[in-house]
Amino acid sequence: MTTNNDILKTIYGTAKFSYLSQPDEAFGSSVYKVTLEVPKDKSQEHTKIIQEIISKEVAEQHKLTPNATAPLTRAPLPYKDEGETITFKFHSKFKPKVWDRNQKEIGADVNIYKDSTMWVSYKASGYNKSIGLGCTLYIQSVQIDNLVEGSEGANGACPFPKRSEELIA
């Protein structure tokens, strides 16, 4: 059961993992996603919203099962405290719209790589599933501030140049 706790927000940070150009198809799924690193002082509003959404899910579950005494299972948080920074995980089943800082749409042929800086517009949504109570961050759209671009073959491809046999000694 998902309660209607959806909140739309925008956050700025640096991509650590980016599957915004093509979906991540590992483990049999097809998901667009980005892990965004944000300075701790710029992330407090977002972590507070996530905690409030989870608290509402807990309150809803207590209303549904008032006599339950077992502690409620919590799902993993969509963010992780890394000390000076917080990393947030965003995802979407659908390819998000991506713009550059001049409001020009970035084409599907541009490969957005880690270390790109960006604003991510996301919807924070609470849930109560078999893995527990939690919050998911769904990508709505992205605006790239500083693009780090890579080539199509770089994902999973050999990082070395093609070499001729004469060079082997």
Side-chain angles (χ1 to χ4, degrees), residues 1-112:
M1 178 183 130
T2 300
T3 57
N4 194 4
N5 292 332
D6 296 351
I7 295 176
L8 189 63
K9 295 298 292 177
T10 300
I11 190 168
Y12 180 82
T14 303
K16 291 294 134 199
F17 297 99
S18 177
Y19 286 90
L20 295 170
S21 305
Q22 290 85 27
D24 179 5
E25 295 182 336
F27 308 110
S29 65
S30 181
V31 179
Y32 292 91
K33 59 186 180 180
V34 64
T35 300
L36 205 62
E37 186 177 76
V38 179
K40 190 174 257 183
D41 63 327
K42 304 283 186 200
S43 64
Q44 293 170 346
E45 169 193 0
H46 303 279
T47 57
K48 183 178 179 212
I49 288 168
I50 292 165
Q51 292 298 340
E52 287 172 358
I53 289 171
I54 294 169
S55 293
K56 288 178 184 175
E57 290 294 333
V58 168
E60 283 296 315
Q61 184 60 37
H62 283 305
K63 286 180 192 173
L64 294 172
T65 56
N67 297 327
T69 57
L72 299 173
T73 304
R74 304 285 179 109
L77 291 169
Y79 67 88
K80 185 175 181 184
D81 188 331
E82 305 281 353
E84 295 296 314
T85 61
I86 305 287
T87 54
F88 291 87
K89 294 186 178 200
F90 304 92
H91 70 271
S92 174
K93 292 180 183 176
F94 309 101
K95 182 165 178 37
K97 291 273 189 184
V98 181
W99 290 276
D100 67 14
R101 67 182 309 147
N102 298 317
Q103 300 177 323
K104 181 180 174 227
E105 194 167 342
I106 294 178
D109 59 326
V110 175
N111 290 302
I112 303 162

